[in-house]
Amino acid sequence: MSFDVMVVDDSPAMRRFIRRVIEVSRFSVGRYLEASDGQDALEKLEGEWVDVVLTDINMPRMDGESFVAEMRRREHLSMIPVIVISTDATDARMERLAKLGAQGYVTKPFAPERLREEIEKVIGVTPEGAMAGAGSDSEGGDDEFSF
Amino acid sequence: MNSVFDQAQLGHHLAGAATQVLETMFFASVEAESQISTSATQLQSGSRIGAALNFHGASKGQLSISLEREVARELATSFFGSYSEDGPEEDCRTVMAELTNMVCGAMLSHLDKHSIFCLDSPMPLPEGEEPIGEIVQLLRLESGLLRLAFSLDPDEQSARSMKLDSI
């Protein structure tokens, strides 16, 4: 089983890093969508379904807080789990995002394992169910990442 | 728990935040840290690259970072896995921006867990310009020196009176 993922971040570098982290974690990704801010994400999610959205907070046009709030207002997007990925590790920010409807929060810096665990938690899958090709012949073991 | 920071504590937290970011996101090894006076220039001559950003919210100020260009290239390779289509120079600038952003976020989160802050977009430091600020810290990486400078705006609460909620 594979999962469709959208990453919303105004930094192409961070989108690229997150994609790499997800790939090396052997999380089974179907479609990998990217958006540069909340507005771009909402436009790309029109008529689309993804299994999880990973979003930054500080972005131009529409920031992460407004984006999460807007997703919860729109019926067809309200059930999509959202994980915030941010440098802001303050309790105040985390509480605010949780109230707006974010199900997960990963603070930068983060280890690849941390991101994978959070995705698995919010979409409700076990590690075994989320990994593709994690057979006995895979190198390094399930919890090892090689960059 | 609330306690009061002095410059040494702020420097320690700055170094701690940078070390955490470098080791976790860039898979770099930080060998040592040292606090230096703002006037000291112990940096190797040669090509360096830097970035700075302003933060605001509960506190206002600036964080800037510089690094040997060759070390920045190594960090870029670790971060991205390979060079992008933009080439190594652009990757260096991008990595310096991301590094500055993450270190600042980690530092501010350590200082006050109960206040919201906002980070502006990092901007490149002009060629040849080194970070200056109230707190200056050097971190020795395997192949070079990272210089960090952290300052609060003069009209803000001074660094010495910043409250530490938890570490």
Side-chain angles (χ1 to χ4, degrees):
Chain A
M1 185 176 183
S2 60
F3 299 91
D4 296 338
V5 176
M6 172 178 268
V7 175
V8 188
D9 198 308
D10 58 325
S11 163
M14 191 49 65
R15 296 201 301 267
R16 187 174 156 199
F17 179 79
I18 292 170
R19 179 172 193 157
R20 182 164 166 251
V21 165
I22 293 173
E23 285 174 354
V24 299
S25 76
R26 289 176 291 147
F27 189 87
S28 182
V29 176
R31 288 180 309 151
Y32 184 91
L33 307 178
E34 294 186 4
S36 57
D37 56 50
Q39 188 62 47
D40 186 28
L42 289 174
E43 290 165 7
K44 287 176 175 168
L45 285 169
E46 279 301 318
E48 293 275 2
W49 172 266
V50 294
D51 294 289
V52 64
V53 170
L54 312 177
T55 184
D56 186 21
I57 297 175
N58 288 324
M59 295 181 289
R61 293 208 300 171
M62 181 183 284
D63 66 20
E65 290 191 355
S66 301
F67 171 55
V68 173
E70 189 59 33
M71 280 192 71
R72 294 298 165 252
R73 270 196 290 272
R74 299 188 184 193
E75 190 177 355
H76 69 291
L77 301 179
S78 63
M79 299 302 290
I80 298 177
V82 178
I83 297 172
V84 176
I85 300 178
S86 174
T87 58
D88 191 336
T90 61
D91 295 339
R93 183 74 81 175
M94 288 189 225
E95 285 166 14
R96 212 151 96 170
L97 265 300
K99 281 181 184 167
L100 288 170
Q103 282 93 335
Y105 202 109
V106 175
T107 57
K108 291 184 270 188
F110 59 84
E113 296 92 333
R114 173 77 187 96
L115 180 59
R116 188 183 72 182
E117 286 166 4
E118 195 71 2
I119 295 173
E120 289 167 353
K121 187 185 84 178
V122 303
I123 64 177
V125 298
T126 62
E128 292 76 20
M131 287 189 294
S136 58
D137 59 343
S138 62
E139 293 180 4
D142 291 349
D143 294 316
E144 295 293 327
F145 299 89
S146 54
F147 282 85
Chain B
M1 179 189 81
N2 281 341
S3 60
V4 177
F5 274 122
D6 58 21
Q7 281 204 337
Q9 284 178 307
L10 281 172
H12 177 70
H13 288 298
L14 180 59
T19 300
Q20 184 186 23
V21 170
L22 286 162
E23 292 183 342
T24 308
M25 301 289 276
F26 296 90
F27 314 101
S29 177
V30 178
E31 296 178 350
E33 64 179 78
S34 62
Q35 191 163 21
I36 62 171
S37 69
T38 54
S39 59
T41 52
Q42 305 168 15
L43 305 174
Q44 295 173 357
S45 59
S47 179
R48 291 178 65 85
I49 185 169
L53 68 72
N54 295 317
F55 56 88
H56 48 95
S59 300
K60 290 181 185 174
Q62 186 182 62
L63 174 77
S64 49
I65 291 178
S66 74
L67 192 59
E68 283 95 349
R69 190 170 253 99
E70 190 54 44
V71 183
R73 287 199 186 105
E74 291 173 12
L75 293 184
T77 305
S78 294
F79 190 73
F80 292 125
S82 61
Y83 290 129
S84 71
E85 294 172 355
D86 298 328
E89 186 59 25
E90 184 56 31
D91 282 355
C92 286
R93 279 193 286 270
T94 301
V95 153
M96 290 306 295
E98 292 297 336
L99 178 62
T100 307
N101 182 280
M102 285 189 271
V103 171
C104 193
M107 171 79 173
L108 295 176
S109 297
H110 276 302
L111 294 183
D112 186 351
K113 290 193 88 62
H114 302 295
S115 298
I116 298 285
F117 62 80
C118 291
L119 307 181
D120 289 346
S121 296
M123 301 297 290
L125 281 179
E127 194 77 26
E129 189 171 305
E130 282 294 334
I132 53 171
E134 188 177 359
I135 308 294
V136 177
Q137 199 78 17
L138 282 179
L139 289 182
R140 184 172 296 284
L141 309 182
E142 283 179 0
S143 50
L145 281 175
L146 177 78
R147 179 177 170 123
L148 307 107
F150 178 84
S151 292
L152 292 168
D153 282 357
D155 59 340
E156 290 292 308
Q157 188 179 17
S158 76
R160 288 186 181 81
S161 64
M162 282 190 75
K163 297 288 179 66
L164 171 64
D165 289 314
S166 61
I167 297 300

